[in-house]
Each structure stands twice: as structure tokens, then as C-alpha cells.
Amino acid sequence: MLSNIPTPLLGIWQDRMGFSTGTTTVIFAAYIGGLLVALPFTGVLADRFGRRKVLVPALVVALVSCPLFMSAHHVADLLLARFLTGLAVGAAVSAGTAAVVEVAGPDRRATAALAGSAGIGLGLATGPLLGGGVSQFWGAPTVTVFALEIILLLSALAVVFAVLPPGAGQGTQRTWMRLPSVPRPHRNSLAAALVAYMPGMTGTSLILALGPSLLTNLLHSTNRLVAGGIGCVMFGTSTGIQFAIKKMSVRRVLTSAGLLTGMGMLGAVAAVCTRSLTLFVGAAVLAGAGQGMSQLGGFTLLGSSVPKCRLAEANAALSAGGYLFAGVLPIVTGYASDAVGMTTSTTVFASVTAAAAITGALMIRQILQPPGSGSGQHPLRPQRRARHTAEGNLGAGSGR
């Protein structure tokens, strides 16, 4: 939630501090910078020392960021607060999703992947709605919402202490920091997940980062609840679709994710060119559906194949790849908007994302060959576990 709460508030800070659209996207992406700093070591540490020993410091860092948001008077304050948020989210994505799988037990790994992924989506959806609603109708818009977030973070801290054991993990790696990866036999699984997840995350980030500026400059709407509502609809779709597709094969889910993301980005181009709020909301729905499917498919693919002692690191590798491009492209688009106009820049970079998503969908069909295709070793054959294929269902209890 904390990662997306500031999105509808960016317009308020922009009016107070007078920064450009490009700076707005840098503030948005500073959180992704923090996340990319955290991922190379949080996954490794969580596998080596246990999930709780990573999640507790992460929640403390998130708590520290809230007063920075509440008292921000300069761009540097917002950059630091967003960076700290990214550090916390990086730990939550890698160690948190692995913790959910462990709590569920070996017989419910697919259900755990759905629960963890849906939890991420639910937080992403409610964050902008909370930020937009509170800022539109309550006093002290940039203070009140973060006071509420502090209460939520304290409750999360209590849950971590209550549910997760303090014991060490099972990892044997000696390094504390390295680029997150997966064991060699499972690299095809990571590759298939990444070619769907990278454009999926980039699409939603593009809409989220530029949403307030697009609404103000092109669609002539200054309602912060509308800005937050679009983010909520986008990630609400991301969450809801994960329950609807849980019986589909991983191969089909990841392929469909790429196609939906591509359609969403083309819809964003149409919305900007025609100045249509309806088309923009439709683009957000399609982008959210693509992101949700790529997220669930990716985490399921890794959770059903990668050994437990490397699972948090594998989740970190997937997240790092997705968030890297999700941070870079919106920044480039934002500064290009200042130089050549929002319509031109958004058209170009949304089209690039659409092309990457559709190309990724075609690649997935080659990487995850169906049974009997003669493609050799299949990526969904985890070590020391029952065999699985890409035609197996997401909800079929993979990893049993």
C-alpha cells in the first residue's frame, strides 16, 4: 500500500514545490531504485537467516518513511521517503512471498503463490484509493493518510512476530549480496516469467506515474479521487483476475498476460490521442489484468520448480527484472513529455512497451513448450519433486 499511496498526492507536492513532470516521474521511480538496491541481498539473507529477520527491519524502514512524507518540503524529502519505501517493498516481495509459501506448507504451494500474489495486488490497489480519497475529502491531505499507514504497518509488524518463527533459513550461500538468480536447471522458468512480468510491470508503472499529469494536462481532471480510483481499478483488476485464472495453465497465463499488456498500452495511446478518460480507464484495466496474470504466473512457475532454499532469491530475481524497466521507462517518458509534449512521448513509449509485451508472449510459447513437443528438458520439472508441465494448472497443487 505504501508504494502507491503517494501517487495521487504528487499533484499536491508538485503545486507546492513547483517541479516538472519529469521530476514527478523521478520521485515515483525513486521507490523502484530503493527496491532494486534491496533485492540483491534481501532474498539471499531471507533464505540464509529466515524470513522474519528480514521482514521486521523492512517494516521498521517503512515506518521511518511515513514521517518523511508527512513533513516533506523539498523534492529531496520525497526522494528519500520513496527510496526507503522501495527498500521495504523489496524485502516484502522477496522474503514475504517466500514466507507465505512456507506457512502454507508443501501441499498448498500453488494456493500460497496465489495468496502472496493477490496480497501484493490488493495492497497496490488500495494504496492509491486510500491516498486519493483521504486527500480529496479530509484535512491535511499529505499528513492524515500516512498516519493511517503507520497504524497499518504496526499491525503488519505484529502479524510477522505472531506468525513467523524466529529460526534461521535453510540457505547455504556464504555471500550477503549478489545479483539474485536461480539454479541453472530453472533458468528457463525465470526467463519465461521475466518476458511477461517486465512489460506487465512497466505498463502499470507508466499509467501510474503519468496518470496525475495525464488527467490534468490532457483530460482536464484535477480530482485526486479519480486519479487514485484509476490506480485502484487497475490493481483491483490485477488482483481479481488472479482468482479467475487459477485453473489455467502457466503457459497460457503468461502468454495471455503479454497480449493483455500490449492491448492496454495501445489503449493508452488511443486515450492520449483522443483525450478520452473512458479509454484511459479501459487501458488501465487491461494493463492491470496483464500485470496480475504475469505476476501470478511468474511466482507460481518459480514456486513450483525452484528449491525452497533458493525461493526468496528467485522471487527477488523476478521482481528485480520487472521493476528495473518499470522504473526506467516512466522516467524517460516524463522528461520526454517536458521536451516534446505528453501526447508524443506517451505514444512512443507506450508503443514500445506494447511491442515488448506481444513479443514476449510469442517467446513464452517457445520457452514453455507443451507436453509431447520434443523440446527436451521442460522448465517445470523441479528437482526432488514430482514432474509438472506447462499445461498443469496454477491451482493444481504444484510442488506437492
Side-chain angles (χ1 to χ4, degrees):
M1 291 179 67
L2 182 60
S3 67
N4 280 353
I5 282 176
T7 301
L9 306 178
L10 288 172
I12 298 177
W13 286 313
Q14 187 174 22
D15 290 339
R16 289 179 183 174
M17 304 176 194
F19 50 76
S20 66
T21 299
T23 302
T24 300
T25 57
V26 172
I27 293 170
F28 174 85
Y31 135 80
I32 296 178
L35 187 145
L36 292 174
V37 169
L39 287 172
F41 64 89
T42 54
V44 174
L45 293 179
D47 284 334
R48 183 177 180 184
F49 297 109
R51 316 311 186 195
R52 194 166 97 172
K53 291 180 180 178
V54 171
L55 289 174
V56 169
L59 288 167
V60 172
V61 170
L63 284 166
V64 171
S65 73
C66 289
L68 290 173
F69 281 118
M70 297 164 75
S71 61
H73 293 292
H74 305 283
V75 171
D77 299 331
L78 295 176
L79 290 173
L80 178 58
R82 289 287 285 168
F83 181 80
L84 292 177
T85 299
L87 292 177
V89 172
V93 168
S94 55
T97 49
V100 173
V101 172
E102 288 186 0
V103 170
D107 292 340
R108 295 188 294 171
R109 293 178 69 86
T111 302
L114 174 60
S117 184
I120 293 172
L122 184 61
L124 293 173
T126 53
L129 185 64
L130 181 63
V134 170
S135 66
Q136 186 69 31
F137 299 112
W138 288 17
T142 58
V143 175
T144 306
V145 67
F146 292 106
L148 295 174
E149 174 65 11
I150 287 173
I151 296 173
L152 294 172
L153 288 169
L154 290 174
S155 70
L157 197 59
V159 170
V160 168
F161 277 109
V163 173
L164 298 181
Q170 299 182 4
T172 58
Q173 49 271 51
R174 297 180 179 275
T175 59
W176 281 43
M177 181 174 180
R178 66 180 180 202
L179 290 177
S181 63
V182 297
R184 185 178 297 274
H186 308 293
R187 289 181 181 174
N188 275 356
S189 296
L190 179 60
L194 279 172
V195 295
Y197 192 57
M198 288 165 64
M201 284 300 302
T202 302
T204 53
S205 293
L206 193 64
I207 289 178
L208 204 60
L210 295 176
S213 296
L214 285 170
L215 289 172
T216 300
N217 299 331
L218 295 182
L219 307 179
H220 308 296
S221 173
T222 58
N223 191 308
R224 291 186 293 276
L225 183 59
V226 172
I230 290 175
C232 179
V233 168
M234 181 168 66
F235 288 110
T237 302
S238 169
T239 304
I241 199 169
Q242 294 180 44
F243 291 93
I245 63 168
K246 63 182 180 180
K247 295 187 181 299
M248 290 174 59
S249 69
V250 173
R251 182 171 181 259
R252 182 178 298 178
V253 165
L254 292 176
T255 302
S256 301
L259 296 177
L260 286 171
T261 297
M263 292 170 59
M265 291 297 94
L266 295 177
V269 172
V272 170
C273 292
T274 61
R275 299 175 181 264
S276 170
L277 180 60
T278 301
L279 285 177
F280 190 65
V281 173
V285 169
L286 289 171
Q291 187 269 338
M293 294 179 77
S294 67
Q295 180 173 289
L296 177 60
F299 281 131
T300 300
L301 191 57
L302 296 178
S304 64
S305 59
V306 176
K308 180 181 177 181
C309 63
R310 296 285 300 275
L311 183 56
E313 184 182 358
N315 290 341
L318 175 61
S319 299
Y323 277 104
L324 177 62
F325 287 88
V328 171
L329 194 59
I331 291 177
V332 175
T333 307
Y335 278 106
S337 296
D338 293 332
V340 300
M342 187 162 290
T343 300
T344 301
S345 63
T346 302
T347 297
V348 170
F349 292 108
S351 299
V352 170
T353 305
I358 295 171
T359 301
L362 298 176
M363 292 175 61
I364 288 165
R365 296 187 66 83
Q366 298 299 316
I367 297 173
L368 299 182
Q369 291 287 346
S373 64
S375 59
Q377 178 79 14
H378 196 277
L380 281 184
R381 289 179 182 170
Q383 295 175 334
R384 303 176 185 173
R385 296 184 190 148
R387 287 184 175 182
H388 305 284
T389 69
E391 294 302 309
N393 293 338
L394 291 173
S398 58
R400 191 161 18 229

